[in-house]
Amino acid sequence: GPSHPPPVPQELEEVRRWEGARDVRLRDRNVRRWEGLLLPNTPPYNAGAFRFELTFSAHYPLAPPCATLRTPIHHPGVDPEGRVCQPLTTHEHWAPTTRAIQVLQDLLLLLDSPDPQRVLRPDLARELQERPEEFRHRAQEHTRLHAEPRPDPPGP
């Protein structure tokens, strides 16, 4: 069928104003590919920033966008390729009224509070459950090694 217009500029502006992300821009000047930094709120991930990419198909908003993390993270809900378990963006659950910012808010929530229902790395889920101290320590170390520095908060 015909391709739909790309995501509206207001959606990008909305994400740029959100405190959960920084440095949000088009990747390769492509309106269907956004990137930026997600800023988790809770330890151990809040010591760094995590680069994300959001890709919109030609059928958006009828088809969901796809979010991936470009920064490696020690987290049960993110696989080594940066894919995330996001029921919100599956074809069963997607609603065309859902906005890009909601997809990113959902991703940030997953980073902040790993969800036993949203697991792509069962080994890490088990570690978190059975050896939480060890998990936290590893995630902290991993964040220190791989995450990007957190940008300063915007001034007044």
Side-chain angles (χ1 to χ4, degrees):
S3 88
H4 296 263
V8 289
Q10 294 93 287
E11 285 209 77
L12 185 58
E13 283 315 306
E14 187 177 30
V15 170
R16 284 180 167 151
R17 285 194 306 270
W18 174 48
E19 69 283 357
R22 286 277 181 294
D23 191 26
V24 181
R25 56 179 75 178
L26 303 181
R27 190 179 166 102
D28 309 321
R29 295 204 294 277
N30 181 343
V31 287
R32 297 188 194 280
R33 288 181 77 186
W34 301 0
E35 67 170 359
L37 292 172
L38 276 180
L39 307 180
N41 299 299
T42 54
Y45 308 112
N46 64 352
F50 295 83
R51 190 160 296 280
F52 70 86
E53 195 168 312
L54 195 59
T55 311
F56 301 86
S57 85
H59 302 289
Y60 179 83
L62 299 181
C66 175
T68 47
L69 269 196
R70 291 281 165 240
T71 307
I73 189 170
H74 188 85
H75 190 293
V78 185
D79 80 5
E81 274 71 62
R83 287 185 291 252
V84 289
C85 180
Q86 220 172 3
L88 178 68
T89 59
T90 57
H91 287 276
E92 302 85 66
H93 296 103
W94 179 251
T97 50
T98 308
R99 300 191 312 286
I101 191 169
Q102 291 169 287
V103 174
L104 294 173
Q105 286 167 337
D106 178 70
L107 175 55
L108 189 64
L109 187 66
L110 175 67
L111 296 186
D112 276 335
S113 39
D115 177 349
Q117 303 304 310
R118 294 170 60 174
V119 167
L120 291 176
R121 300 193 57 187
D123 55 325
L124 296 191
R126 205 162 34 247
E127 182 184 77
L128 175 59
Q129 220 171 359
E130 296 167 8
R131 304 186 298 283
E133 281 308 304
E134 192 178 323
F135 175 88
R136 226 181 333 271
H137 180 73
R138 285 190 179 171
Q140 208 169 350
E141 194 53 17
H142 197 276
T143 299
R144 201 176 61 76
L145 292 173
H146 298 282
E148 300 198 22
R150 265 173 108 88
D152 294 325

